[in-house]
């Protein structure tokens, strides 16, 4: 009776992608696991954003790379992780609750790459080091996001990702500032930045090992006498109706086996088969298309510097604007996505990015230009980064959560890799203005297509974005 009575209201809410808590039910606080992972990401982002803040200038001005050469390295830095995200997600799912340790290995690998930049001064070794660094990022991202998803209820998942991304972005805010201060205070500024970045990254790994729990309430596992994995039910396993009418637990995932049932061991084939789910396939396709027209952050900062003539010593501060806006807006937009629909907020974020591109294409050179562009840039990330993971989580069963999120992240990362290469080549051949104009038109077309593709139909209201 409870399932039948609640099915209509659940389907209506999911049609626009909103997940609303039931009346009279106390909204759960953000889980301690989310806060611990947020602390790890905060510290790690201080380290990584120190590099991100200085690498464009170091490579283009210090080493004399062309925009095409920089586009290649930037594509590696931002897109190479796509090659290993599926591996990281699969290992975390197949390991029976080893999300923490797969993520920890990824964090440790990225930390180990930082001091190697002290030894590299040409394109090939720098590319290999950045590829190894992004391999670590690829291994850790899906397991980390799966831990966030599994430790949150459907009603608070957008808020949980928003809190995590806000803490993550706090590190992105401090990283460029630390890099700027080091460059001003030392003679061999770049070497000092790389060294301090390594030390901070090591602290992040230690925090992960010491404070992030090995499992979450929604995905505890215990050994079976025959050696198979047995999944225990969550503590608050109050069942409810899913949009498609199937019974789910309070974590919003597929039905969980009772303590006496044996859960099948996840396989790579099962992970890839997730693309057979219409919801997840559409989310992945949309992320891929929009990523193809999303210009890399580093190119945005280089465009701003050229438009405004920003001195080299101030370049490292440009990412602070994006990080500050992201930090302030991540939680409010995550909560808004839970209330009004995650797909609406996700597409609105790309609308903010289109406005930022349009401002860069105008002839306006006022003092407010960098503030407006960086505010819109940060709004784009606040409305899309965590929201996309909350979207995908609703279409993936718990036992394959890492693998499912990795599929979406892989499509997006590969698309951004291609975009970096294409934008760098277009800048080299035709100039920065023509390259940005092409990207703006492509982003507008992809956003319109994504709006049409994800629109729920009357015959299948459950396929709206949750």
């Amino acid at each position: 009776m409870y399932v039948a009575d609640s099915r209509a209201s659940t389907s209506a809410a999911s049609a626009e992608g909103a997940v609303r808590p039931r009346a009279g039910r106390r909204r759960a606080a953000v889980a301690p696991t989310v806060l611990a992972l947020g602390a790890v990401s905060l510290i790690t982002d201080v380290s990584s954003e120190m590099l991100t803040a200085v690498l464009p200038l170091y490579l283009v001005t210090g080493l004399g790379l062309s925009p095409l050469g920089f586009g290649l390295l930037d594509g590696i830095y931002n897109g190479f992780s796509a090659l290993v995200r599926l591996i990281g997600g699969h290992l975390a799912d197949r390991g029976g609750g080893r999300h923490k340790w797969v993520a920890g290995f990824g964090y440790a690998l990225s930390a180990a790459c930082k001091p190697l930049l002290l030894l590299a001064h040409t394109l090939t070794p720098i590319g290999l080091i950045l590829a190894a660094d992004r391999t670590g990022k690829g291994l850790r991202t899906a397991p980390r996001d799966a831990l966030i998803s599994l430790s949150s209820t459907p009603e608070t998942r957008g808020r949980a990702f928003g809190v995590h991304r806000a803490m993550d972005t706090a590190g992105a805010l401090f990283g460029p500032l630390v890099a700027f201060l080091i460059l001003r205070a030392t003679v061999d500024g770049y070497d000092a930045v790389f060294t301090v970045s390594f030390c901070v990254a090591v602290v992040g790994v230690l925090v992960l090992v010491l404070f992030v729990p090995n499992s979450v309430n929604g995905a505890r596992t215990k050994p079976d006498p025959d050696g198979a994995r047995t999944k225990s039910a969550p503590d608050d396993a109050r069942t409810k109706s899913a949009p498609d009418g199937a019974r789910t637990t309070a974590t919003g995932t597929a039905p969980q086996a009772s303590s006496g049932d044996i859960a099948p061991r996840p396989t790579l084939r099962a992970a890839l088969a997730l693309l057979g789910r219409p919801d997840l396939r559409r989310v992945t396709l949309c992320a891929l298309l929009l990523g193809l027209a999303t210009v890399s952050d580093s190119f945005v900062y280089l465009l701003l510097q050229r438009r405004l003539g920003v001195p080299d010593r101030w370049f490292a501060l440009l990412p602070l604007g994006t990080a500050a806006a992201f930090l302030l807006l991540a939680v409010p937009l995550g909560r808004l996505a839970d209330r009004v629909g995650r797909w609406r907020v996700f597409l609105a974020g790309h609308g903010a990015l289109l406005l930022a591109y349009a401002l860069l294409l105008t002839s306006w050179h006022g003092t407010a230009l960098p503030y407006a562009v960086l505010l819109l840039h940060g709004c784009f990330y606040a409305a899309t980064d965590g929201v996309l993971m909350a979207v995908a989580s609703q279409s993936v069963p718990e036992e394959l959560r890492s693998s499912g999120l990795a599929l979406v992240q892989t499509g997006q990362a590969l698309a951004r890799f291609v975009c970096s290469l294409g934008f760098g080549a277009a800048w080299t051949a035709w100039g920065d203005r023509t390259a940005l104009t092409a990207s703006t038109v492509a982003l507008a077309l992809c956003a319109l297509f994504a709006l049409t593709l994800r629109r729920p139909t009357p015959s299948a209201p459950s396929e709206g974005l949750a």
Side-chain angles (χ1 to χ4, degrees), residues 411-430:
Q412 187 180 57
L414 284 174
R416 290 184 176 179
F417 173 79
V418 172
C419 183
S420 288
L421 292 179
F423 190 86
W427 186 336
T428 302
W430 303 303

Side-chain angles (χ1 to χ4, degrees), residues 16-19 336-346 465:
E16 290 297 333
V19 180
L336 180 66
D338 286 337
R339 291 198 302 268
V340 306
R342 292 164 188 158
W343 195 245
R344 293 175 179 175
V345 174
F346 181 75
L465 201 65

Side-chain angles (χ1 to χ4, degrees), residues 285-296 300 350 353-354 357 380 411-412 414-420 422-423 435-447:
L285 178 59
C286 289
L288 188 151
L289 289 175
L290 292 168
L292 284 172
T294 301
V295 177
S296 167
V300 172
H350 286 84
L353 186 62
L354 277 172
Y357 292 171
F380 157 71
Q412 187 180 57
L414 284 174
R416 290 184 176 179
F417 173 79
V418 172
C419 183
S420 288
F423 190 86
L436 184 59
T437 300
S439 295
T440 303
V441 173
L443 182 59
L445 293 176
C446 290

Side-chain angles (χ1 to χ4, degrees), residues 258-285:
S258 65
S259 58
D261 295 332
I262 298 176
R265 191 177 182 86
T267 63
L268 187 58
R269 178 178 296 180
L272 295 175
L274 289 172
L275 289 176
R277 294 172 172 249
D279 277 356
L280 188 64
R281 185 169 61 248
R282 282 193 289 269
V283 169
T284 305
L285 178 59

